[in-house]
Amino acid sequence: MIYKIIKNTRFFVLIITICTLLNSCGAYNFTGTGKIDAASFQVNYFLNNAELVEPGIERTFTNKLQELIQNQTSLNLTNTNADLLYEGEITDYRISPMTATADQTAAQNRLYISVMVRFSNKKNPEDDFEKTFSHFYDFPANDQLVGGKLNTALDEIYDRITQDVFNASLAKW
């Protein structure tokens, strides 16, 4: 009799544990977002309004943001009337000396980019925001940021900025 009670109690505890685990994991996924109450998103072309103009960086940023959202969500990319809208402009692009040598020349430079993002959520307007996101890439002063080196720097900066935008808009971090 006692054996049957213990056996039934173990079975009951196991069932409750499994149900609790399955229920609690339902609103999460591997990208860190909760349930997204939207079906589509739109990323308008980000203009380059920085004083120092580097051709093509606005197109690259726009594409990187679109790719990140497509890869980490099941939202559909559209050009009009989306549930989620991303727009804005590149507000700063500059290269500045960061450290000096004994003979007072730059030993290290920093590429710094900031992007103003306006996010609108038609289904949840309380999630709307307008924020500036920025990041930098440090490199030796004797290196020139051209070709592949510039692409590497931009990739690192844009990976960080687009992830920050994603986290602020969809992961709520």
Side-chain angles (χ1 to χ4, degrees):
M1 175 82 170
I2 293 177
Y3 175 73
K4 244 183 177 178
I5 292 172
I6 293 172
K7 187 176 176 185
N8 287 340
T9 304
R10 284 185 185 170
F11 179 74
F12 180 73
V13 169
L14 179 65
I15 294 298
I16 294 297
T17 304
I18 290 172
C19 290
T20 302
L21 287 174
L22 291 175
N23 189 35
S24 65
C25 295
Y28 299 99
N29 60 39
F30 292 114
T31 63
T33 63
K35 185 175 186 293
I36 300 173
D37 186 24
S40 60
F41 76 99
Q42 176 180 339
V43 178
N44 287 346
Y45 191 75
F46 278 72
L47 298 174
N48 186 355
N49 292 333
E51 288 184 29
L52 180 61
V53 175
E54 177 66 35
I57 64 170
E58 65 279 4
R59 180 185 65 251
T60 304
F61 179 79
T62 302
N63 291 338
K64 288 268 189 189
L65 184 57
Q66 287 174 343
E67 289 170 10
L68 178 78
I69 296 168
Q70 281 183 308
N71 291 339
Q72 293 194 14
T73 68
S74 60
L75 297 171
N76 296 315
L77 176 63
T78 184
N79 291 326
T80 57
N81 203 22
D83 295 328
L84 307 177
L85 174 64
Y86 296 84
E87 57 188 353
E89 58 272 347
I90 295 172
T91 56
D92 199 2
Y93 177 96
R94 69 174 178 258
I95 298 173
S96 308
M98 291 308 299
T99 58
T101 63
D103 60 351
Q104 297 194 6
T105 60
Q108 188 175 34
N109 288 332
R110 173 172 286 177
L111 171 61
Y112 173 85
I113 299 176
S114 66
V115 181
M116 170 62 76
V117 177
R118 287 178 297 282
F119 171 72
S120 301
N121 184 336
K122 282 186 181 177
K123 297 195 175 199
N124 294 314
E126 64 275 2
D127 290 346
D128 294 0
F129 65 78
E130 184 171 330
K131 288 184 185 177
T132 299
F133 298 88
S134 62
H135 196 60
F136 59 89
Y137 178 83
D138 292 336
F139 61 99
N142 57 354
D143 286 357
Q144 294 293 317
L145 279 184
V146 293
K149 288 182 182 181
L150 178 60
N151 291 338
T152 299
L154 290 175
D155 284 345
E156 183 176 313
I157 291 171
Y158 287 161
D159 286 348
R160 176 64 69 89
I161 293 174
T162 56
Q163 190 63 55
D164 288 348
V165 170
F166 178 86
N167 291 342
S169 60
L170 297 174
K172 309 291 188 287
W173 290 5

